[in-house]
Amino acid sequence: MNKSFLTALCATGALMFGAAQAADGPSDGSVKVGVLTDMSGVYAAIEGPGSVIAAEMAIEDFGGEVLGQPIELASADHQEKADVASSIARRWIDRDNVDMIVGMVNSAVGLAVQGLASDKQTITMNTGAGSQELTESQCSKYGIHYVYDTYALPVGTATAMVENGGKKWFFITADYTFGHSLQKSTARVVRELGGEVVGSVNAPLGTNDFSSYLLQASSSGADVIALANAGNDTVNAIKQAHEFGIVDRGQKLAGMLVFLSDVKALGLETAQGLQFTTAFYWDRTEKSREWSQRFLDKHGEMPTMVDAGVYSATLAYLKAVEAAGTDEADAVRAELGDMKINDFFVTDGSIEPNGLMPHDMYLVRVKQPSESEGPWDLLEVVSTIPADQAYIATEDSACPLLGE
Amino acid sequence: MSLNAILAQTMLGLSQGVFYAMLSLGLAIIFGLLNVINFAHGALYMLGAFVALIGYSYLGPWLGQPDWHMGFWTALVVSPLLVGGLGMLIERFLLRRLYDFDHIYGLLLTFGIALILQGLFANYFNISGTPYPGQPESLSGIVNLGFMYFPKYRLFAILFSIVVCFATWFVIERTSLGAVLRAGVENPKLVEAFGINVPRMVTLTFGFGVALAALAGVLAAPIYSVSPLMGADLIITVFAVVVIGGMGSILGAIVTGLMLGLVQGLTQAVYPPAANTVIFFIMVVVLLIRPAGLFGKVV
């Protein structure tokens, strides 16, 4: 290492230190939103670069400034690792004055960052992770869970399948918090409706070849093979189930968490007929079509429910800051709790004291290739699951904050 | 577990094992003959799959012929040639400059190439994978093997890969061409004295190793979705296979690849949480007992 390199390094360090010092103070001169997400890993198609674009759109649509201060955006890749995510969040909050963190796909990441941000009195709006724990035993005053959770997902899908004769269930489960949580709540719905769980197998996150697990599921004699996983895992499992002719021999597949990007990756030929629950589909209302078209123009792909959720959450946050007249977390959180959220994503949404934002969910069916009229004409909305049925009632929540 | 279930898991393990074998074979050839640890191998495997996908789904529309597809069989020939050609360019213009330095430089260079290739494709293609629709009609459907229903295509992939692997082994270990190759590594000066162009031979060998990766990529395309990260997911395991088999051992790479596929398949059935780690566990044990690998010669 030569001398000039060292000098440059010191200079850069001094500059960064100076900048951090200058920005510190009671009012930091800007409102800063941080998108913490998976930019290139297994969940990047669900909430990756697309969610950053969604947040940019929200800031743009809001006018680029709030309370006379510019709105800034930061984004980072958490690499699906809770420790990486925590250190980014810590740096954002302590040094970069990030006021709100959105995104956080992957429940392990979501829980870690929500805990850390709460200790530092910073609002998190989780749009990507599914674990119900975010608003249950590990709920926090500053943590908001916005798009979907493992309680809401099975309600529509499992009910529809059990009612159509799928009584015996076998689970292929992603082996971490989210998968277990999803399996538990799906099994609850199945049992309540008179079905039974005949077996389950835990597959590591990022499994390439599911055929071994599918074979076990297939020989279990189950009517329904439920995939309690997400992203690439779901895509691979469905593709391989198709390849081994499992669906052709009479067993049904239930994707407990499927995103639009997964259907796109599978192709209609393979995915046709698959039913699942989603918080958003672009081709549902005039407003959702209009926004999604703008998103498509920028990103080249239609938004997933998470992309739409990032937009909606960011916009709601900015409105709350404006209404509160400050970016101070307690005041903004109070405002978020009082206001009604209305946009193309949610109608009359409100954020409960435990951080949950209950809203309508939709049971959808993947179209047959012959029904599809365009590259993104993939789903048909079968029914709407009202918010009060989809999500756990606040009085049933195990969140310790509610007792206070 | 019943006998049928064991047989079924064996078949599944084998269908994974052939990919390990093909990839670790390419790595072993490159390492054995060139002493280069090719970290770009996974990315070149991914590139092989993408050539097939682009040829089938995108090339026609780009050229203004929306109905034209490059079929699977064509891709099986074209993709290894193209990617192998790229490999030769990499060897000729980049790697060659590093032969006089420590191994680590070659490793860093190829790792950088892998990151660039993955980043490029991640920029333009769906990261969660794009389905390859070009699986030939004659290979679709399933066959009843008695103990299980098995996709015809996977059966084809297993047989085809085994033939390719053993043909490669035969050429390198049992023919005069292979003898020249091995001698060229042992003592390049002497082989050059016989009038053989050693640098060109090295370039061709690297190209061949890379072409094997591309061939595996084309074979994998109909089974797994074609995704920018498909190679990155696999390459670490494949390196473990090479280490277990013995760095640079051709036969070792093939046999270990197949064997570890089987072990992984059976682990998935018996104790799924260990499926991703079992290979590394075996690697640790082998390194403790036989540091040169199962088939490696102790120097």
Side-chain angles (χ1 to χ4, degrees):
Chain A
M1 206 181 292
N2 60 32
K3 201 177 154 203
S4 63
F5 180 76
L6 272 177
T7 319
L9 196 72
C10 293
T12 322
L15 273 175
M16 280 162 68
F17 185 70
Q21 287 297 307
D24 216 348
S27 172
D28 52 42
S30 74
V31 171
K32 199 160 181 179
V33 174
V35 184
L36 184 52
T37 190
D38 176 358
M39 296 298 275
S40 61
V42 276
Y43 294 156
I46 299 165
E47 187 202 80
S51 64
V52 180
I53 289 172
E56 276 168 6
M57 286 171 73
I59 292 171
E60 205 180 288
D61 291 356
F62 193 78
E65 58 177 52
V66 61
L67 308 176
Q69 297 172 341
I71 306 164
E72 290 179 48
L73 183 73
S75 65
D77 184 359
H78 65 50
Q79 302 169 25
E80 302 287 339
K81 295 187 182 95
D83 54 340
V84 173
S86 298
S87 71
I88 294 170
R90 196 172 292 121
R91 193 182 72 222
W92 273 1
I93 297 169
D94 290 347
R95 201 192 71 191
D96 302 343
N97 298 307
V98 166
D99 299 292
M100 188 275 278
I101 301 176
V102 66
M104 294 161 285
V105 65
N106 183 324
S107 293
V109 166
L111 288 166
V113 175
Q114 173 169 307
L116 180 126
S118 280
D119 292 343
K120 294 180 181 294
Q121 299 181 355
T122 300
I123 291 177
T124 52
M125 298 181 91
N126 197 312
T127 49
S131 176
Q132 213 193 332
E133 292 302 312
L134 286 163
T135 55
E136 288 286 299
S137 63
Q138 299 197 44
C139 71
S140 95
K141 190 179 166 193
Y142 303 100
I144 291 164
H145 200 186
Y146 205 83
V147 177
Y148 69 97
D149 71 13
T150 50
Y151 183 94
L153 291 169
V155 175
T157 318
T159 309
M161 301 206 83
V162 176
E163 279 171 0
N164 283 320
K167 295 282 185 204
K168 287 193 268 181
W169 286 57
F170 186 99
F171 286 92
I172 296 177
T173 303
D175 198 4
Y176 73 109
T177 328
F178 156 75
H180 298 298
S181 173
L182 186 53
Q183 180 183 340
K184 203 175 100 193
S185 47
T186 309
R188 184 185 58 82
V189 175
V190 169
R191 290 200 186 97
E192 269 175 16
L193 294 167
E196 61 169 319
V197 176
V198 295
S200 71
V201 56
N202 293 332
L205 178 64
T207 296
N208 205 1
D209 196 338
F210 278 86
S211 41
S212 170
Y213 309 116
L214 288 164
L215 208 66
Q216 295 172 49
S218 166
S219 55
S220 71
D223 304 320
V224 177
I225 300 172
L227 306 171
N229 51 20
N232 283 2
D233 284 356
T234 310
V235 171
N236 282 334
I238 294 174
K239 193 167 156 54
Q240 286 149 13
H242 185 77
E243 191 194 344
F244 278 81
I246 287 173
V247 179
D248 298 337
R249 274 178 278 125
Q251 283 172 311
K252 286 198 181 100
L253 277 184
M256 298 321 298
L257 175 53
V258 180
F259 294 91
L260 191 68
S261 51
D262 302 335
V263 177
K264 187 70 182 166
L266 283 162
L268 290 180
E269 191 59 49
T270 308
Q272 58 180 306
L274 184 74
Q275 292 194 351
F276 60 92
T277 304
T278 182
F280 171 80
Y281 177 53
W282 68 270
D283 193 10
R284 199 179 61 81
T285 64
E286 200 47 55
K287 270 157 83 185
S288 66
R289 273 188 288 274
E290 188 263 333
W291 182 81
S292 303
Q293 185 58 46
R294 277 173 56 212
F295 183 89
L296 177 68
D297 293 342
K298 282 177 195 284
H299 186 44
E301 280 167 38
M302 275 294 180
T304 62
M305 63 170 164
V306 172
D307 295 327
V310 167
Y311 176 90
S312 173
T314 309
L315 203 58
Y317 173 79
L318 294 173
K319 284 178 182 162
V321 170
E322 188 166 58
T326 171
D327 60 4
E328 193 268 319
D330 283 296
V332 177
R333 179 63 184 88
E335 200 58 51
L336 279 167
D338 291 339
M339 66 193 254
K340 287 273 177 232
I341 304 169
N342 272 302
D343 54 25
F344 69 88
F345 177 76
V346 51
T347 311
D348 280 339
S350 63
I351 297 169
E352 300 294 314
N354 61 358
L356 188 65
M357 203 276 280
H359 51 270
D360 293 353
M361 299 288 281
Y362 307 96
L363 181 67
V364 292
R365 184 184 64 83
V366 178
K367 287 187 172 178
Q368 287 165 7
S370 60
E371 295 171 292
S372 170
E373 285 169 6
W376 290 97
D377 185 16
L378 304 171
L379 307 178
E380 178 197 17
V381 178
V382 178
S383 64
T384 302
I385 308 148
D388 56 342
Q389 284 175 31
Y391 288 90
I392 195 168
T394 307
E395 55 267 28
D396 295 335
S397 170
C399 171
L401 286 177
L402 296 170
E404 284 168 15
Chain B
M1 206 175 2
S2 69
L3 181 66
N4 273 1
I6 292 174
L7 282 172
Q9 294 296 346
T10 308
M11 284 303 289
L12 294 176
L14 207 57
S15 79
Q16 181 68 55
V18 290
F19 287 104
Y20 292 158
M22 286 259 267
L23 287 171
S24 57
L25 176 63
L27 276 180
I29 291 173
I30 291 170
F31 183 80
L33 299 179
L34 282 73
N35 264 333
V36 168
I37 300 170
N38 182 21
F39 238 88
H41 216 63
L44 294 163
Y45 157 81
M46 176 271 291
L47 200 59
F50 265 106
V51 170
L53 175 74
I54 291 171
Y56 194 90
S57 303
Y58 298 92
L59 196 59
W62 286 346
L63 299 176
Q65 304 277 331
D67 296 328
W68 184 86
H69 303 293
M70 181 175 79
F72 175 78
W73 302 110
T74 319
L76 214 49
V77 178
V78 169
S79 175
L81 286 178
L82 275 180
V83 180
L86 176 72
M88 286 194 259
L89 291 178
I90 292 174
E91 196 281 337
R92 176 66 187 80
F93 293 104
L94 299 172
L95 270 176
R96 186 168 292 184
R97 297 162 193 271
L98 300 175
Y99 287 150
D100 293 338
F101 300 100
D102 193 82
H103 283 341
I104 192 82
Y105 289 91
L107 188 149
L108 286 174
L109 174 80
T110 51
F111 186 55
I113 293 172
L115 290 182
I116 291 170
L117 285 175
Q118 280 163 17
L120 272 178
F121 278 86
N123 208 16
Y124 293 106
F125 290 90
N126 190 342
I127 201 131
S128 68
T130 312
Y132 174 71
Q135 180 178 317
E137 208 46 51
S138 54
L139 293 176
S140 56
I142 40 181
V143 274
N144 190 346
L145 295 178
F147 53 91
M148 75 181 302
Y149 293 94
F150 202 72
K152 256 188 222 167
Y153 179 80
R154 284 199 190 214
L155 203 59
F156 159 77
I158 292 176
L159 296 174
F160 184 84
S161 311
I162 290 180
V163 169
V164 169
C165 284
F166 282 97
T168 307
W169 169 80
F170 184 81
V171 168
I172 292 180
E173 299 286 344
R174 291 284 182 273
T175 64
S176 57
L177 174 68
V180 171
L181 279 176
R182 282 175 289 136
V185 179
E186 206 67 37
N187 194 334
K189 284 269 177 309
L190 194 64
V191 175
E192 256 174 19
F194 285 114
I196 291 166
N197 185 342
V198 172
R200 195 175 66 196
M201 199 176 77
V202 167
T203 308
L204 287 171
T205 310
F206 189 82
F208 179 74
V210 166
L212 275 179
L215 189 64
V218 179
L219 280 178
I223 300 181
Y224 311 110
S225 284
V226 181
S227 108
L229 297 177
M230 62 193 286
D233 296 340
L234 208 57
I235 195 70
I236 302 296
T237 315
V238 172
F239 268 107
V241 171
V242 175
V243 171
I244 295 169
M247 293 295 281
S249 162
I250 307 285
L251 189 64
I254 301 172
V255 175
T256 320
L258 294 175
M259 201 180 70
L260 289 179
L262 290 183
V263 170
Q264 203 178 26
L266 290 174
T267 316
Q268 277 178 340
V270 180
Y271 185 62
N276 282 359
T277 33
V278 65
I279 288 182
F280 300 100
F281 180 74
I282 295 175
M283 183 176 87
V284 170
V285 174
V286 168
L287 284 178
L288 284 175
I289 300 171
R290 276 184 71 99
L294 291 178
F295 292 80
K297 292 184 190 75
V298 183
V299 187

